[in-house]
Amino acid sequence: MPVTVTEAAAKHVSKYLARRGKGVGVRLGVKTTGCSGLAYKLEYADEVAPEDLVFEDHGIKILVDPKSMPYLDGTQLDFVREGLNEGFKFNNPNERDRCGCGESFRV
């Protein structure tokens, strides 16, 4: 299944890339850390690496490294505002459990 972004996330990424003046999209991955084992990595990407899996949704490129793909398959990246806080939220159908602090997850 593809990795997708919501319209809200796409607008936020587009705005940030325009302000930044460069970039091809966002790079999404996972790293081993935290109490539950895995944490999401998200960064703005300036170029597409040869090994990247590239998805495009709402005009935004999402780059995923092949090692992270089994954990991110079908994930939707959203951008939410809750009160005074705002940030990216990962809607991952593979997530089985999340640590109490919300920093890591398990599949």
Side-chain angles (χ1 to χ4, degrees):
M1 288 175 44
V3 176
T4 60
V5 296
T6 63
E7 192 174 333
K11 284 180 183 177
H12 183 77
V13 170
S14 293
K15 220 184 303 183
Y16 186 81
L17 289 174
R19 218 177 340 177
R20 197 169 170 250
K22 64 179 180 176
V24 295
V26 291
R27 184 176 308 281
L28 179 59
V30 295
K31 61 183 176 181
T32 305
T33 189
C35 18
S36 290
L38 297 169
Y40 295 107
K41 295 188 305 186
L42 180 68
E43 60 189 14
Y44 291 95
D46 292 331
E47 58 187 43
V48 178
E51 68 275 5
D52 283 336
L53 300 168
V54 181
F55 302 94
E56 191 160 337
D57 194 22
H58 294 289
I60 298 298
K61 283 189 176 148
I62 306 124
L63 313 174
V64 180
D65 68 271
K67 289 181 182 177
S68 295
M69 192 59 207
Y71 305 106
L72 298 173
D73 194 23
T75 297
Q76 180 188 58
L77 181 62
D78 194 5
F79 188 79
V80 296
R81 288 191 171 95
E82 296 171 349
L84 297 175
N85 298 318
E86 64 180 20
F88 287 103
K89 179 180 177 186
F90 302 90
N91 300 314
N92 185 344
N94 305 303
E95 212 176 277
R96 298 289 171 245
D97 193 23
R98 191 171 265 267
C99 73
C101 64
E103 293 298 318
S104 62
F105 69 99
R106 182 181 9 242
V107 291

